[in-house]
Amino acid sequence: MEPREYVREHRFEEPATLSQRQEHSNNEPSDVVIETRGLTIGFSQKTVLSNVGLSFPRGSITALIGPSGSGKTTFLRSLNRLNDDVKGFRHSGDVLFNSESIWASKTDVLSLRRRVGMLFQRANPFPMSIEQNVIAGVKAHNIAKKSQLKKIAQSRLEEVGLWKAVEHRLHDSPFRLSGGQQQLLCLARALAIGPDVLLLDEPTSALDPMSIEAVENLILGLSPAITFIVVTHNLAQARRISHSTAFFFEGELKEYGPTKQVFEEPSQPETQRYVSGRLG
Ligand SMILES: Nc1ncnc2c1ncn2[C@@H]1O[C@H](COP(=O)(O)OP(=O)(O)OP(=O)(O)O)[C@@H](O)[C@H]1O
Ligand SMILES: [Mg+2]
């Protein structure tokens, strides 16, 4: 079955409101992989996110949309503690991963990041060969035998549709690949360590339409095994791939609901202006 058809047939039950979703999550925490509660984030004096409560059902694809500077990247980076080392970082509220606070003293940040992976807007291959890039995380986390590494590299490169293009240059530098291919390589690297959740920050903004379609199909195909949270300025993309959409505005979560509802019957005037292209 084509990934897009799969999504159409397996659409998630979509609670109408955030409060319903939260009630739902309280009853069945195992259905929610990540949840933020009253999450406020600032850097020194500046408050960047205020009181954001969102939950992400396991296996779902959620789009985060909103104007530049509304806090989407900050929110995404907070989910696997990438903001923690930023100068002046402060937070209140909480982020729960599998019902446990990510800031609990027993949380191991590296294993959190193994399970909650991230792909950035700009592809960031490591300065090592194409093959070594794919298995870098696998080696760092020691999650496969040495004899399995080549096979893992090949199957992940096949999975992202890059194998044919790179099979004869596995030992070359990744920096001669096109921008789109570099992003697919980073996706292969992220997938190789078997994440539960992938955070994608404008993953296709630098890609051509063919590569965009490839990445979207991949996301659709990997869901529901992986939960995706995708920041995008491409509203058509949000509509194509996501079950739910969260609209951020000036550091607040203005609106959240099933994607169709957010785009077709938004409840907030700012959302209406944004999704109709009159804002941001
Ligand atoms: N380290 C930091 N120190 C101070 N302010 C910061 C820091 N990081 C982000 N900000 C501010 O937080 C606000 C939100 O930034 P963020 O990058 O999260 O927005 P965004 O919604 O991802 O925007 P875009 O769509 O342009 O990527 C901005 O005003 C930004 O300047
Ligand atoms: Mg951003």
Side-chain angles (χ1 to χ4, degrees):
M1 189 185 287
E2 285 294 308
R4 277 167 210 272
E5 288 169 34
Y6 179 90
V7 162
R8 252 178 247 121
E9 293 202 1
H10 293 76
R11 287 196 85 85
F12 288 79
E13 197 189 325
E14 296 165 326
T17 65
L18 184 57
S19 58
Q20 277 179 11
R21 172 65 54 84
Q22 281 169 339
E23 255 175 51
H24 179 77
S25 75
N26 287 341
N27 295 339
E28 295 168 25
S30 63
D31 284 341
V32 171
V33 61
I34 291 188
E35 179 178 355
T36 69
R37 291 191 181 159
L39 183 65
T40 294
I41 287 179
F43 299 101
S44 303
Q45 298 304 311
K46 189 176 159 83
T47 298
V48 172
L49 277 180
S50 298
N51 197 24
V52 177
L54 260 179
S55 50
F56 300 94
R58 202 176 298 282
S60 61
I61 304 174
T62 304
L64 308 183
I65 62 169
S68 254
S70 56
K72 305 177 300 294
T73 294
T74 305
F75 178 78
L76 202 67
R77 286 169 52 90
S78 68
L79 302 180
N80 68 356
R81 293 185 48 179
L82 281 177
N83 287 323
D84 286 29
D85 299 329
V86 176
K87 195 161 172 280
F89 170 74
R90 61 184 164 82
H91 80 277
S92 61
D94 212 347
V95 177
L96 308 182
F97 173 61
N98 288 333
S99 310
E100 304 247 357
S101 171
I102 62 169
W103 285 294
S105 54
K106 66 175 181 184
T107 300
D108 172 38
V109 181
L110 286 186
S111 76
L112 173 71
R113 291 186 191 148
R114 177 183 159 196
R115 301 182 71 184
V116 184
M118 180 145 180
L119 196 66
F120 300 88
Q121 177 174 6
R122 277 213 221 134
N124 60 340
F126 298 152
M128 51 182 74
S129 74
I130 290 170
E131 183 178 70
Q132 287 298 321
N133 259 277
V134 183
I135 54 180
V138 179
K139 284 167 75 175
H141 290 286
N142 209 4
I143 48 183
K145 290 200 197 107
K146 209 166 167 215
S147 58
Q148 297 171 315
L149 294 176
K150 274 195 165 304
K151 184 98 193 63
I152 291 173
Q154 177 171 349
S155 58
R156 292 311 180 177
L157 287 165
E158 282 171 349
E159 189 168 26
V160 301
L162 209 50
W163 177 249
K164 284 265 168 297
V166 303
E167 63 178 318
H168 299 302
R169 48 204 281 213
L170 290 175
H171 304 295
D172 291 357
S173 159
F175 299 110
R176 283 190 291 274
L177 297 172
S178 73
Q181 289 173 329
Q182 290 187 25
Q183 191 62 306
L184 290 171
L185 178 66
C186 294
L187 188 53
R189 184 178 69 199
L191 291 173
I193 51 176
D196 298 341
V197 179
L198 268 183
L199 312 173
L200 310 181
D201 195 357
E202 303 186 45
T204 61
S205 62
L207 305 190
D208 67 276
M210 295 279 283
S211 311
I212 292 177
E213 194 183 2
V215 171
E216 288 182 7
N217 276 327
L218 203 59
I219 293 170
L220 292 170
L222 291 164
S223 154
I226 295 177
T227 305
F228 287 94
I229 306 174
V230 188
V231 170
T232 182
H233 280 285
N234 180 338
L235 298 182
Q237 174 168 74
R239 295 185 76 150
R240 281 194 295 270
I241 65 172
S242 68
H243 307 111
S244 302
T245 294
F247 173 64
F248 284 76
F249 186 73
E250 296 181 351
E252 289 180 15
L253 174 64
K254 266 282 165 202
E255 184 152 359
Y256 169 76
T259 294
K260 193 170 158 57
Q261 182 186 306
V262 170
F263 279 91
E264 292 176 11
E265 299 167 64
S267 65
Q268 302 298 315
E270 293 86 355
T271 321
Q272 170 112 49
R273 280 161 57 211
Y274 186 74
V275 300
S276 65
R278 284 179 286 134
L279 180 79

